[in-house]
Amino acid sequence: MKLTKKSHACIRLEKDGRTLVIDPGTFSEEDAAVGADAILVTHEHLDHFDEERLRTGMEANPGAEIWTLASVAGKISAAFPGRVHTVGHGDTFTAAGFDVQVHGELHAVIHPDIPRITNVGYLIDGGKVFHPGDALTVPDRPVETLMLPVMAPWNKIAEVIDYVREVRPRRAYDIHDALLTDLARPIYDNQIGALGGAEHLRLTSGASAEL
């Protein structure tokens, strides 16, 4: 499986000539969903879900399909009848040849005064990769590669470190990093790497790794 990091929270997974894209949002490249055979969206916030990017990907490949939660499906399903599937915690499905399990139900708390929205994470191929969206969801099975949301209005580095410790992946790759400045990156690298208990890695946008 080939993992390619796109800007912010978006990743591309490739296997057997097929491509799965997760969370092409407004902070991601305009063509982030182009070439996808399947697209997964974790929640409705614009940095994870951008309707224009989804439309671009869906129109580029008439066979592409989307799996997402109801709040997003309601905004895009009319444009692509039969190609948008609604999922929730506990669901399993196959998308572009990848086996997917859905974990989680709610976005992390931003502030007690802000109502929580729904959010799901996607466990790929039995734990090969886990993308939690905007939550610190711990799947009920081992994770090899954790996509780690390192910097957001809803988290702090202590929570990020404890999340890596709880999930106990073999490796953790940074995502949700568009708001993290270059000055801060060494601090995050040193602390997560030293304290998380897993190999901590970062890919620049467009860079890839074999899993």
Side-chain angles (χ1 to χ4, degrees), residues 86-177:
T86 302
V87 297
H89 176 70
D91 288 342
T92 61
F93 57 92
T94 300
F98 294 85
D99 294 326
V100 184
Q101 295 179 324
V102 183
H103 291 265
E105 299 180 82
L106 291 173
H107 191 287
V109 175
I110 301 172
H111 187 276
D113 290 351
I114 299 176
R116 296 175 72 181
I117 62 170
T118 51
N119 176 96
V120 295
Y122 297 107
L123 189 73
I124 310 298
D125 280 356
K128 192 78 172 180
V129 175
F130 182 59
H131 190 307
D134 276 7
L136 301 181
T137 302
V138 179
D140 59 0
R141 63 190 58 210
V143 173
E144 289 188 26
T145 301
L146 174 66
M147 307 313 301
L148 181 66
V150 291
M151 198 280 181
W154 49 266
N155 72 15
K156 58 185 180 181
I157 195 167
E159 295 171 335
V160 173
I161 292 167
D162 286 345
Y163 182 51
V164 177
R165 289 179 173 182
E166 190 171 4
V167 176
R168 300 178 64 186
R170 183 177 301 174
R171 65 188 72 86
Y173 278 100
D174 286 355
I175 58 168
H176 215 286
D177 57 356

Side-chain angles (χ1 to χ4, degrees), residues 14-205:
E14 297 172 70
K15 183 182 70 172
D16 299 332
R18 306 188 74 188
T19 300
L20 175 71
V21 172
I22 305 178
D23 278 4
T26 54
F27 295 168
S28 305
E29 295 79 0
E30 291 185 1
D31 64 349
V34 173
D37 297 292
I39 304 167
L40 312 182
V41 180
T42 63
H43 66 288
E44 65 195 80
H45 284 164
L46 295 180
D47 56 326
H48 296 255
F49 159 60
D50 179 67
E51 186 172 341
E52 188 60 34
R53 283 163 174 75
L54 289 182
R55 287 177 179 271
T56 299
M58 296 288 277
E59 290 169 358
N61 178 5
E65 298 178 76
I66 296 172
W67 282 262
T68 187
L69 36 65
S71 58
V72 173
K75 298 177 181 180
I76 194 74
S77 58
F80 300 101
R83 298 170 64 189
V84 180
H85 312 280
T86 302
V87 297
H89 176 70
D91 288 342
T92 61
F93 57 92
T94 300
F98 294 85
D99 294 326
V100 184
Q101 295 179 324
V102 183
H103 291 265
E105 299 180 82
L106 291 173
H107 191 287
V109 175
I110 301 172
H111 187 276
D113 290 351
I114 299 176
R116 296 175 72 181
I117 62 170
T118 51
N119 176 96
V120 295
Y122 297 107
L123 189 73
I124 310 298
D125 280 356
K128 192 78 172 180
V129 175
F130 182 59
H131 190 307
D134 276 7
L136 301 181
T137 302
V138 179
D140 59 0
R141 63 190 58 210
V143 173
E144 289 188 26
T145 301
L146 174 66
M147 307 313 301
L148 181 66
V150 291
M151 198 280 181
W154 49 266
N155 72 15
K156 58 185 180 181
I157 195 167
E159 295 171 335
V160 173
I161 292 167
D162 286 345
Y163 182 51
V164 177
R165 289 179 173 182
E166 190 171 4
V167 176
R168 300 178 64 186
R170 183 177 301 174
R171 65 188 72 86
Y173 278 100
D174 286 355
I175 58 168
H176 215 286
D177 57 356
L179 301 179
L180 188 65
T181 70
D182 289 339
L183 289 173
R185 290 183 188 276
I187 298 171
Y188 278 71
D189 287 344
N190 291 338
Q191 295 187 357
I192 297 171
L195 300 174
E199 184 180 15
H200 176 238
L201 302 160
R202 173 180 294 119
L203 293 171
T204 58
S205 181

